[in-house]
Amino acid sequence: MATMRLLLFCALCSAGIHLISSLTDPNDASVLQTLKVSWKNTPPSWDKSSDPCGFPWEGVQCTGARVTSLRLSSMGLKGELSSYIEGLTELNSLDLSFNPGLDGSLPPQLGDLQKLNILILAGCSFVGPIPEELGNLEQLTFL
């Protein structure tokens, strides 16, 4: 019985340590959780962890604790691109291509992603004008 208590105590402590030492920047994790809620058909790995960099989410690449790339081409995503995307301030690549279920207008906040150099939206169902704020993306080399 004492061994069982010790094992349970160790398991709880290690779980607590994991929660305390989450690898993903809290702001980045919050933005990804918002995207997860606003989209349908996210990859199954997105439901297995709340730490996209520590327990990698499919299509999410990190450098250290920061999300630097979202490569979600042909995932069957449905929904709208949230304006909260602007919170991924270290994002340099965003590929949402060939997700025809992604619709609505493109949020002007995409123009706030100052490190973005790749933006791929082909094969989606976005409507309306291209936000003029995309002109603010001085690092953008591929659109």
Side-chain angles (χ1 to χ4, degrees), residues 13-46:
C13 285
S14 67
I17 290 169
H18 170 68
L19 290 175
I20 292 168
S21 65
S22 176
L23 292 179
T24 308
D25 175 82
N27 186 59
D28 288 2
S30 177
V31 170
L32 287 175
Q33 288 293 336
T34 300
L35 292 175
K36 179 180 151 187
V37 168
S38 66
W39 289 341
K40 293 182 179 152
N41 299 333
T42 55
S45 62
W46 288 33

mmCIF file of all heavy atoms in Angstrom, residues 13-46:
data_model
loop_
_atom_site.group_PDB
_atom_site.id
_atom_site.type_symbol
_atom_site.label_atom_id
_atom_site.label_comp_id
_atom_site.label_asym_id
_atom_site.label_seq_id
_atom_site.Cartn_x
_atom_site.Cartn_y
_atom_site.Cartn_z
ATOM 1 N N CYS A 13 3.132 14.482 -8.873
ATOM 2 C CA CYS A 13 4.192 15.496 -8.894
ATOM 3 C C CYS A 13 4.713 15.714 -10.304
ATOM 4 O O CYS A 13 4.897 16.849 -10.733
ATOM 5 C CB CYS A 13 5.343 15.093 -7.973
ATOM 6 S SG CYS A 13 4.944 15.307 -6.234
ATOM 7 N N SER A 14 4.950 14.642 -11.028
ATOM 8 C CA SER A 14 5.469 14.813 -12.389
ATOM 9 C C SER A 14 4.432 15.460 -13.287
ATOM 10 O O SER A 14 4.771 16.240 -14.168
ATOM 11 C CB SER A 14 5.955 13.483 -12.975
ATOM 12 O OG SER A 14 4.880 12.602 -13.184
ATOM 13 N N ALA A 15 3.156 15.169 -13.079
ATOM 14 C CA ALA A 15 2.108 15.833 -13.858
ATOM 15 C C ALA A 15 2.089 17.324 -13.541
ATOM 16 O O ALA A 15 1.952 18.159 -14.435
ATOM 17 C CB ALA A 15 0.746 15.207 -13.575
ATOM 18 N N GLY A 16 2.255 17.666 -12.284
ATOM 19 C CA GLY A 16 2.293 19.072 -11.883
ATOM 20 C C GLY A 16 3.478 19.794 -12.463
ATOM 21 O O GLY A 16 3.386 20.929 -12.927
ATOM 22 N N ILE A 17 4.618 19.126 -12.505
ATOM 23 C CA ILE A 17 5.813 19.723 -13.086
ATOM 24 C C ILE A 17 5.589 19.982 -14.563
ATOM 25 O O ILE A 17 5.952 21.020 -15.084
ATOM 26 C CB ILE A 17 7.042 18.821 -12.857
ATOM 27 C CG1 ILE A 17 7.421 18.842 -11.380
ATOM 28 C CG2 ILE A 17 8.219 19.261 -13.722
ATOM 29 C CD1 ILE A 17 8.439 17.791 -10.985
ATOM 30 N N HIS A 18 4.942 19.024 -15.248
ATOM 31 C CA HIS A 18 4.668 19.233 -16.676
ATOM 32 C C HIS A 18 3.773 20.448 -16.890
ATOM 33 O O HIS A 18 4.016 21.250 -17.776
ATOM 34 C CB HIS A 18 4.015 17.992 -17.285
ATOM 35 C CG HIS A 18 3.492 18.250 -18.668
ATOM 36 N ND1 HIS A 18 4.327 18.483 -19.733
ATOM 37 C CD2 HIS A 18 2.232 18.398 -19.135
ATOM 38 C CE1 HIS A 18 3.595 18.727 -20.802
ATOM 39 N NE2 HIS A 18 2.335 18.687 -20.466
ATOM 40 N N LEU A 19 2.745 20.601 -16.070
ATOM 41 C CA LEU A 19 1.846 21.735 -16.232
ATOM 42 C C LEU A 19 2.571 23.052 -15.992
ATOM 43 O O LEU A 19 2.324 24.040 -16.660
ATOM 44 C CB LEU A 19 0.652 21.607 -15.282
ATOM 45 C CG LEU A 19 -0.338 20.498 -15.617
ATOM 46 C CD1 LEU A 19 -1.393 20.403 -14.519
ATOM 47 C CD2 LEU A 19 -0.984 20.715 -16.965
ATOM 48 N N ILE A 20 3.480 23.050 -15.032
ATOM 49 C CA ILE A 20 4.214 24.261 -14.708
ATOM 50 C C ILE A 20 5.222 24.591 -15.808
ATOM 51 O O ILE A 20 5.446 25.739 -16.137
ATOM 52 C CB ILE A 20 4.918 24.108 -13.344
ATOM 53 C CG1 ILE A 20 3.870 24.047 -12.234
ATOM 54 C CG2 ILE A 20 5.895 25.235 -13.085
ATOM 55 C CD1 ILE A 20 4.416 23.623 -10.900
ATOM 56 N N SER A 21 5.826 23.565 -16.398
ATOM 57 C CA SER A 21 6.890 23.805 -17.358
ATOM 58 C C SER A 21 6.446 23.604 -18.805
ATOM 59 O O SER A 21 7.173 23.053 -19.602
ATOM 60 C CB SER A 21 8.075 22.888 -17.046
ATOM 61 O OG SER A 21 7.689 21.543 -17.245
ATOM 62 N N SER A 22 5.263 24.038 -19.133
ATOM 63 C CA SER A 22 4.773 23.961 -20.508
ATOM 64 C C SER A 22 5.769 24.643 -21.436
ATOM 65 O O SER A 22 6.291 25.709 -21.132
ATOM 66 C CB SER A 22 3.410 24.648 -20.584
ATOM 67 O OG SER A 22 2.944 24.667 -21.885
ATOM 68 N N LEU A 23 6.031 24.010 -22.567
ATOM 69 C CA LEU A 23 7.049 24.537 -23.474
ATOM 70 C C LEU A 23 6.559 25.680 -24.352
ATOM 71 O O LEU A 23 7.342 26.493 -24.803
ATOM 72 C CB LEU A 23 7.582 23.412 -24.365
ATOM 73 C CG LEU A 23 8.395 22.344 -23.652
ATOM 74 C CD1 LEU A 23 8.835 21.279 -24.637
ATOM 75 C CD2 LEU A 23 9.594 22.951 -22.954
ATOM 76 N N THR A 24 5.283 25.754 -24.635
ATOM 77 C CA THR A 24 4.754 26.763 -25.552
ATOM 78 C C THR A 24 4.530 28.089 -24.837
ATOM 79 O O THR A 24 3.991 28.132 -23.733
ATOM 80 C CB THR A 24 3.424 26.282 -26.159
ATOM 81 O OG1 THR A 24 3.612 24.983 -26.700
ATOM 82 C CG2 THR A 24 2.937 27.219 -27.240
ATOM 83 N N ASP A 25 4.934 29.164 -25.497
ATOM 84 C CA ASP A 25 4.647 30.503 -25.000
ATOM 85 C C ASP A 25 3.148 30.591 -24.692
ATOM 86 O O ASP A 25 2.328 30.197 -25.535
ATOM 87 C CB ASP A 25 5.038 31.521 -26.074
ATOM 88 C CG ASP A 25 4.662 32.925 -25.705
ATOM 89 O OD1 ASP A 25 5.420 33.558 -24.963
ATOM 90 O OD2 ASP A 25 3.582 33.394 -26.164
ATOM 91 N N PRO A 26 2.758 31.070 -23.509
ATOM 92 C CA PRO A 26 1.336 31.086 -23.135
ATOM 93 C C PRO A 26 0.447 31.837 -24.125
ATOM 94 O O PRO A 26 -0.675 31.426 -24.398
ATOM 95 C CB PRO A 26 1.308 31.764 -21.761
ATOM 96 C CG PRO A 26 2.695 31.647 -21.244
ATOM 97 C CD PRO A 26 3.607 31.568 -22.437
ATOM 98 N N ASN A 27 0.938 32.933 -24.685
ATOM 99 C CA ASN A 27 0.152 33.688 -25.653
ATOM 100 C C ASN A 27 -0.060 32.867 -26.924
ATOM 101 O O ASN A 27 -1.161 32.811 -27.466
ATOM 102 C CB ASN A 27 0.825 35.017 -25.985
ATOM 103 C CG ASN A 27 -0.048 35.872 -26.872
ATOM 104 O OD1 ASN A 27 -1.162 36.219 -26.506
ATOM 105 N ND2 ASN A 27 0.455 36.184 -28.052
ATOM 106 N N ASP A 28 0.998 32.224 -27.414
ATOM 107 C CA ASP A 28 0.882 31.391 -28.614
ATOM 108 C C ASP A 28 -0.085 30.241 -28.377
ATOM 109 O O ASP A 28 -0.920 29.919 -29.240
ATOM 110 C CB ASP A 28 2.247 30.838 -29.034
ATOM 111 C CG ASP A 28 3.172 31.894 -29.618
ATOM 112 O OD1 ASP A 28 2.780 33.087 -29.671
ATOM 113 O OD2 ASP A 28 4.284 31.537 -30.021
ATOM 114 N N ALA A 29 0.012 29.612 -27.203
ATOM 115 C CA ALA A 29 -0.891 28.506 -26.882
ATOM 116 C C ALA A 29 -2.340 28.978 -26.859
ATOM 117 O O ALA A 29 -3.236 28.299 -27.360
ATOM 118 C CB ALA A 29 -0.507 27.879 -25.536
ATOM 119 N N SER A 30 -2.565 30.172 -26.326
ATOM 120 C CA SER A 30 -3.915 30.733 -26.271
ATOM 121 C C SER A 30 -4.463 31.000 -27.673
ATOM 122 O O SER A 30 -5.628 30.699 -27.965
ATOM 123 C CB SER A 30 -3.895 32.025 -25.451
ATOM 124 O OG SER A 30 -5.145 32.630 -25.434
ATOM 125 N N VAL A 31 -3.629 31.545 -28.548
ATOM 126 C CA VAL A 31 -4.065 31.812 -29.926
ATOM 127 C C VAL A 31 -4.434 30.502 -30.614
ATOM 128 O O VAL A 31 -5.471 30.399 -31.277
ATOM 129 C CB VAL A 31 -2.975 32.556 -30.725
ATOM 130 C CG1 VAL A 31 -3.324 32.613 -32.206
ATOM 131 C CG2 VAL A 31 -2.774 33.963 -30.173
ATOM 132 N N LEU A 32 -3.600 29.479 -30.457
ATOM 133 C CA LEU A 32 -3.891 28.196 -31.101
ATOM 134 C C LEU A 32 -5.156 27.557 -30.533
ATOM 135 O O LEU A 32 -5.918 26.933 -31.273
ATOM 136 C CB LEU A 32 -2.699 27.252 -30.983
ATOM 137 C CG LEU A 32 -1.519 27.625 -31.876
ATOM 138 C CD1 LEU A 32 -0.330 26.712 -31.607
ATOM 139 C CD2 LEU A 32 -1.897 27.556 -33.345
ATOM 140 N N GLN A 33 -5.388 27.726 -29.244
ATOM 141 C CA GLN A 33 -6.635 27.211 -28.660
ATOM 142 C C GLN A 33 -7.836 27.933 -29.267
ATOM 143 O O GLN A 33 -8.868 27.315 -29.540
ATOM 144 C CB GLN A 33 -6.628 27.369 -27.130
ATOM 145 C CG GLN A 33 -5.691 26.440 -26.412
ATOM 146 C CD GLN A 33 -6.097 24.989 -26.501
ATOM 147 O OE1 GLN A 33 -7.254 24.642 -26.697
ATOM 148 N NE2 GLN A 33 -5.119 24.105 -26.373
ATOM 149 N N THR A 34 -7.712 29.239 -29.502
ATOM 150 C CA THR A 34 -8.788 30.012 -30.127
ATOM 151 C C THR A 34 -9.042 29.513 -31.547
ATOM 152 O O THR A 34 -10.191 29.343 -31.966
ATOM 153 C CB THR A 34 -8.448 31.514 -30.128
ATOM 154 O OG1 THR A 34 -8.281 31.945 -28.783
ATOM 155 C CG2 THR A 34 -9.541 32.325 -30.788
ATOM 156 N N LEU A 35 -7.970 29.279 -32.308
ATOM 157 C CA LEU A 35 -8.132 28.746 -33.662
ATOM 158 C C LEU A 35 -8.791 27.370 -33.608
ATOM 159 O O LEU A 35 -9.678 27.067 -34.415
ATOM 160 C CB LEU A 35 -6.781 28.664 -34.371
ATOM 161 C CG LEU A 35 -6.123 29.994 -34.718
ATOM 162 C CD1 LEU A 35 -4.729 29.761 -35.296
ATOM 163 C CD2 LEU A 35 -6.974 30.790 -35.683
ATOM 164 N N LYS A 36 -8.374 26.556 -32.677
ATOM 165 C CA LYS A 36 -8.926 25.205 -32.541
ATOM 166 C C LYS A 36 -10.437 25.255 -32.299
ATOM 167 O O LYS A 36 -11.192 24.476 -32.873
ATOM 168 C CB LYS A 36 -8.218 24.489 -31.392
ATOM 169 C CG LYS A 36 -8.710 23.102 -31.127
ATOM 170 C CD LYS A 36 -7.940 22.507 -29.964
ATOM 171 C CE LYS A 36 -8.784 21.517 -29.244
ATOM 172 N NZ LYS A 36 -8.180 21.026 -28.029
ATOM 173 N N VAL A 37 -10.873 26.196 -31.481
ATOM 174 C CA VAL A 37 -12.297 26.335 -31.182
ATOM 175 C C VAL A 37 -13.067 26.868 -32.391
ATOM 176 O O VAL A 37 -14.201 26.463 -32.645
ATOM 177 C CB VAL A 37 -12.502 27.255 -29.946
ATOM 178 C CG1 VAL A 37 -13.946 27.654 -29.776
ATOM 179 C CG2 VAL A 37 -11.978 26.572 -28.695
ATOM 180 N N SER A 38 -12.436 27.752 -33.169
ATOM 181 C CA SER A 38 -13.156 28.362 -34.292
ATOM 182 C C SER A 38 -13.145 27.502 -35.550
ATOM 183 O O SER A 38 -13.891 27.777 -36.482
ATOM 184 C CB SER A 38 -12.602 29.762 -34.584
ATOM 185 O OG SER A 38 -11.280 29.706 -35.040
ATOM 186 N N TRP A 39 -12.306 26.484 -35.591
ATOM 187 C CA TRP A 39 -12.230 25.595 -36.752
ATOM 188 C C TRP A 39 -12.791 24.226 -36.439
ATOM 189 O O TRP A 39 -12.700 23.747 -35.307
ATOM 190 C CB TRP A 39 -10.790 25.408 -37.203
ATOM 191 C CG TRP A 39 -10.157 26.599 -37.846
ATOM 192 C CD1 TRP A 39 -10.787 27.681 -38.392
ATOM 193 C CD2 TRP A 39 -8.763 26.828 -38.004
ATOM 194 N NE1 TRP A 39 -9.866 28.565 -38.888
ATOM 195 C CE2 TRP A 39 -8.613 28.068 -38.668
ATOM 196 C CE3 TRP A 39 -7.625 26.122 -37.664
ATOM 197 C CZ2 TRP A 39 -7.364 28.605 -38.991
ATOM 198 C CZ3 TRP A 39 -6.384 26.656 -37.989
ATOM 199 C CH2 TRP A 39 -6.268 27.882 -38.644
ATOM 200 N N LYS A 40 -13.337 23.584 -37.452
ATOM 201 C CA LYS A 40 -13.745 22.183 -37.354
ATOM 202 C C LYS A 40 -12.719 21.350 -38.106
ATOM 203 O O LYS A 40 -12.046 21.850 -39.003
ATOM 204 C CB LYS A 40 -15.133 21.988 -37.959
ATOM 205 C CG LYS A 40 -16.215 22.671 -37.173
ATOM 206 C CD LYS A 40 -17.566 22.416 -37.773
ATOM 207 C CE LYS A 40 -18.587 23.127 -36.896
ATOM 208 N NZ LYS A 40 -19.753 23.515 -37.613
ATOM 209 N N ASN A 41 -12.633 20.088 -37.754
ATOM 210 C CA ASN A 41 -11.739 19.121 -38.411
ATOM 211 C C ASN A 41 -10.264 19.387 -38.156
ATOM 212 O O ASN A 41 -9.429 19.104 -39.012
ATOM 213 C CB ASN A 41 -11.997 19.043 -39.923
ATOM 214 C CG ASN A 41 -13.398 18.593 -40.243
ATOM 215 O OD1 ASN A 41 -14.022 17.897 -39.463
ATOM 216 N ND2 ASN A 41 -13.892 18.994 -41.397
ATOM 217 N N THR A 42 -9.929 19.940 -36.996
ATOM 218 C CA THR A 42 -8.508 20.097 -36.681
ATOM 219 C C THR A 42 -7.895 18.710 -36.504
ATOM 220 O O THR A 42 -8.606 17.745 -36.201
ATOM 221 C CB THR A 42 -8.311 20.935 -35.401
ATOM 222 O OG1 THR A 42 -9.048 20.354 -34.334
ATOM 223 C CG2 THR A 42 -8.723 22.382 -35.614
ATOM 224 N N PRO A 43 -6.598 18.595 -36.707
ATOM 225 C CA PRO A 43 -5.948 17.284 -36.567
ATOM 226 C C PRO A 43 -6.162 16.692 -35.175
ATOM 227 O O PRO A 43 -6.230 17.431 -34.185
ATOM 228 C CB PRO A 43 -4.477 17.606 -36.801
ATOM 229 C CG PRO A 43 -4.466 18.870 -37.592
ATOM 230 C CD PRO A 43 -5.664 19.641 -37.119
ATOM 231 N N PRO A 44 -6.267 15.368 -35.069
ATOM 232 C CA PRO A 44 -6.483 14.712 -33.772
ATOM 233 C C PRO A 44 -5.434 15.056 -32.722
ATOM 234 O O PRO A 44 -5.747 15.125 -31.537
ATOM 235 C CB PRO A 44 -6.441 13.220 -34.111
ATOM 236 C CG PRO A 44 -6.741 13.137 -35.565
ATOM 237 C CD PRO A 44 -6.247 14.412 -36.172
ATOM 238 N N SER A 45 -4.204 15.302 -33.144
ATOM 239 C CA SER A 45 -3.148 15.620 -32.172
ATOM 240 C C SER A 45 -3.438 16.913 -31.412
ATOM 241 O O SER A 45 -2.918 17.119 -30.315
ATOM 242 C CB SER A 45 -1.784 15.716 -32.865
ATOM 243 O OG SER A 45 -1.768 16.752 -33.823
ATOM 244 N N TRP A 46 -4.299 17.768 -31.966
ATOM 245 C CA TRP A 46 -4.636 19.024 -31.297
ATOM 246 C C TRP A 46 -5.504 18.791 -30.067
ATOM 247 O O TRP A 46 -5.628 19.673 -29.220
ATOM 248 C CB TRP A 46 -5.350 19.971 -32.257
ATOM 249 C CG TRP A 46 -4.466 20.567 -33.314
ATOM 250 C CD1 TRP A 46 -3.387 19.988 -33.917
ATOM 251 C CD2 TRP A 46 -4.598 21.851 -33.893
ATOM 252 N NE1 TRP A 46 -2.844 20.832 -34.844
ATOM 253 C CE2 TRP A 46 -3.569 21.992 -34.859
ATOM 254 C CE3 TRP A 46 -5.489 22.894 -33.721
ATOM 255 C CZ2 TRP A 46 -3.405 23.140 -35.621
ATOM 256 C CZ3 TRP A 46 -5.336 24.039 -34.490
ATOM 257 C CH2 TRP A 46 -4.294 24.158 -35.419
#
